[in-house]
Amino acid sequence: MSDADKGPARGRPRTMNAEQVLDVAMTAYWHSDPADVSVNAICQMAGISKPSLYREFGSEDGLSRAALDRYADQVLSEMFVILHAGAGLRQTLATLIDFASDDPRMETGCLFYKMRAGKHRLGTDTRARVEEIDAAGQAAYAAFLQAARDAGDWPDGLSVEAGAKYLGEQIALAITQRASGEDPARIREMLTLALSVFTRP
Amino acid sequence: MSDADKGPARGRPRTMNAEQVLDVAMTAYWHSDPADVSVNAICQMAGISKPSLYREFGSEDGLSRAALDRYADQVLSEMFVILHAGAGLRQTLATLIDFASDDPRMETGCLFYKMRAGKHRLGTDTRARVEEIDAAGQAAYAAFLQAARDAGDWPDGLSVEAGAKYLGEQIALAITQRASGEDPARIREMLTLALSVFTRP
DNA sequence: GACATAAAATACCGGATAGTATAAAAATGA
DNA sequence: TCATTTTTATACTATCCGGTATTTTATGTC
């Protein structure tokens, strides 16, 4: 199906571009903090009126939920790609460290982690999506570590679940520190130290 | 000097107890989140009027700053005691792990870490005090680790400053997880894993 | 051109916020 | 008793918030 059956275009043609609005919202939430960006501010930045935004997204919760969806598709998916690439334990950890410490997209932190940190301030839909993504992330970390364990590359006395949670929290910590302006080299040093527990001789 | 020279008590005697108000404010900020507690709510909880509060503390910034001071005196000081006790590396780390993982006072997190996480939402005075405490904490961690290094108890290839920052962030992470209802046993497991980098064979 | 339709723009609503002006109350000193 | 002083209590301001009712504008159809 093409865009042709979008409708007969009765009535005043819309000037609002939902994709562009979503881009503005995602970037604003991401660059500053979801709790510090008002619907009014997003309307102003996107050059649209409030009723237009509410007709498209229904509520602030609907907008932030849609912005988070977009973020998951465009940005977060890359972390899942790294985890599912099937590289070895050391190689994958190194790639994760690179991503968290030096990827320019994480320079202002991660929208998902920011939302998770301020979970109680989110609307119900957005919060539910945050928890969904959190669970998916944890499952991906666990699957990755389970594969490493199956390959015999695993320290004694550590469960895969605990390792997965630990790995996820260390990545989150590193990226959160990026947002607060910490020196990337220092972040890399600390994250490398934290993840060295997986690759002990 | 005793309390006797507090003044001749001209005028209507005050019913407001500043200490009690500060206690209410500190607990409220601490138990929920500094950004989610309004001046109005504190007045209501403390049973005082807004003008009384503003006469005593000047502004919301003054109040939160005073509450943080009180918290530093009453709670945070204990962490400094642990660090300055002069116990060995392993013993001190174990005590820190106990404190972060199981001390009932940290069950709802740490007011200082909550303020630090939402630093940009604080007034100038409170923010300055947060940065001051942060620097003092880092210095205390560094002094503690330097002593361990002098005692020969130190892993190769790690600077004291990086170790101090790492240690501080791991403690902060653990206590922040307490606030989000994470299982203390799991928190202990992860924190122990994170700090095991200091005590490798 | 008249009409229906759908979107946009403006202005508004109720509620919460930090902060304050003003008046009432309760004590002392004369 | 009356004035002075200090604190309390009430009521108010200005601003921002999420959300919406209302009007205006731009199109296609007849």
Side-chain angles (χ1 to χ4, degrees):
Chain A
M1 293 204 190
S2 76
D3 281 4
D5 51 357
K6 250 296 177 55
R10 283 276 287 265
R12 178 173 177 170
R14 68 173 54 180
T15 58
M16 188 195 63
N17 181 339
E19 292 290 309
Q20 180 240 335
V21 171
L22 216 44
D23 231 47
V24 166
M26 183 188 78
T27 304
Y29 286 145
W30 183 6
H31 204 86
S32 75
D33 191 300
D36 295 332
V37 179
S38 69
V39 174
N40 286 335
I42 289 172
C43 288
Q44 205 163 341
M45 287 185 280
I48 63 168
S49 68
K50 255 202 294 191
S52 296
L53 187 146
Y54 275 89
R55 185 171 38 72
E56 184 73 30
F57 300 103
S59 66
E60 185 179 36
D61 191 20
L63 173 65
S64 58
R65 156 77 197 246
L68 176 56
D69 280 342
R70 191 178 182 80
Y71 183 80
D73 282 352
Q74 292 194 352
V75 183
L76 236 45
S77 59
E78 177 155 333
M79 293 189 59
F80 288 91
V81 167
I82 294 174
L83 289 175
H84 289 112
L89 178 65
R90 282 167 181 75
Q91 176 56 48
T92 302
L93 291 181
T95 306
L96 285 173
I97 292 172
D98 286 345
F99 180 75
S101 307
D102 286 313
D103 191 300
R105 279 175 300 178
M106 294 295 109
E107 197 172 339
T108 59
C110 167
L111 175 57
F112 164 66
Y113 290 136
K114 286 181 177 185
M115 283 184 168
R116 198 185 63 161
K119 208 197 281 194
H120 65 283
R121 275 184 268 255
L122 299 175
T124 55
D125 286 7
T126 309
R127 180 162 55 238
R129 186 82 178 100
V130 163
E131 279 158 4
E132 203 178 303
I133 293 175
D134 205 21
Q138 204 161 321
Y141 284 124
F144 156 62
L145 291 181
Q146 182 63 51
R149 182 180 217 178
D150 291 344
D153 213 356
W154 192 253
D156 293 341
L158 178 62
S159 75
V160 164
E161 267 118 31
K165 188 128 201 154
Y166 177 79
L167 176 53
E169 293 301 332
Q170 294 299 332
I171 302 277
L173 174 59
I175 296 181
T176 300
Q177 286 174 319
R178 294 286 300 278
S180 65
E182 201 66 46
D183 172 30
R186 174 60 63 86
I187 294 174
R188 168 182 288 274
E189 187 180 6
M190 292 197 290
L191 183 56
T192 302
L193 186 60
L195 302 193
S196 70
V197 301
F198 291 116
T199 58
R200 255 181 252 192
Chain B
M1 293 203 189
S2 76
D3 282 2
D5 52 358
K6 252 292 178 61
R10 280 276 287 268
R12 177 172 177 172
R14 67 174 53 180
T15 58
M16 187 195 64
N17 181 339
E19 293 291 308
Q20 179 239 337
V21 172
L22 216 44
D23 231 47
V24 166
M26 182 187 77
T27 304
Y29 287 145
W30 182 7
H31 204 86
S32 76
D33 190 300
D36 296 332
V37 179
S38 69
V39 174
N40 286 338
I42 289 171
C43 288
Q44 206 162 341
M45 288 185 280
I48 63 166
S49 69
K50 256 203 292 192
S52 295
L53 187 145
Y54 275 88
R55 185 172 38 74
E56 184 73 31
F57 300 104
S59 66
E60 186 179 35
D61 191 20
L63 173 65
S64 58
R65 155 75 198 248
L68 176 56
D69 280 342
R70 191 179 183 79
Y71 183 81
D73 282 352
Q74 293 194 352
V75 183
L76 236 46
S77 59
E78 178 154 333
M79 293 189 60
F80 288 90
V81 167
I82 294 174
L83 289 175
H84 289 112
L89 178 66
R90 280 167 181 75
Q91 176 57 48
T92 302
L93 290 181
T95 306
L96 285 173
I97 291 172
D98 286 345
F99 180 75
S101 306
D102 287 312
D103 191 299
R105 277 176 300 178
M106 294 294 110
E107 197 172 338
T108 58
C110 167
L111 176 56
F112 165 66
Y113 290 136
K114 285 181 177 185
M115 283 185 168
R116 197 185 63 162
K119 208 196 282 196
H120 65 282
R121 275 184 267 256
L122 300 175
T124 55
D125 286 6
T126 309
R127 180 162 55 238
R129 186 80 178 102
V130 163
E131 279 158 5
E132 203 177 303
I133 293 175
D134 205 21
Q138 204 162 323
Y141 283 124
F144 156 62
L145 292 180
Q146 181 64 53
R149 182 179 216 178
D150 291 344
D153 213 356
W154 192 253
D156 293 341
L158 178 62
S159 74
V160 164
E161 267 119 32
K165 187 128 200 154
Y166 177 80
L167 176 53
E169 293 302 331
Q170 294 299 332
I171 302 277
L173 175 59
I175 295 181
T176 299
Q177 285 174 321
R178 294 286 299 280
S180 66
E182 202 66 45
D183 173 29
R186 175 60 64 85
I187 294 174
R188 169 182 287 274
E189 187 180 5
M190 292 197 289
L191 183 55
T192 302
L193 185 60
L195 302 193
S196 71
V197 302
F198 291 116
T199 58
R200 256 181 253 191

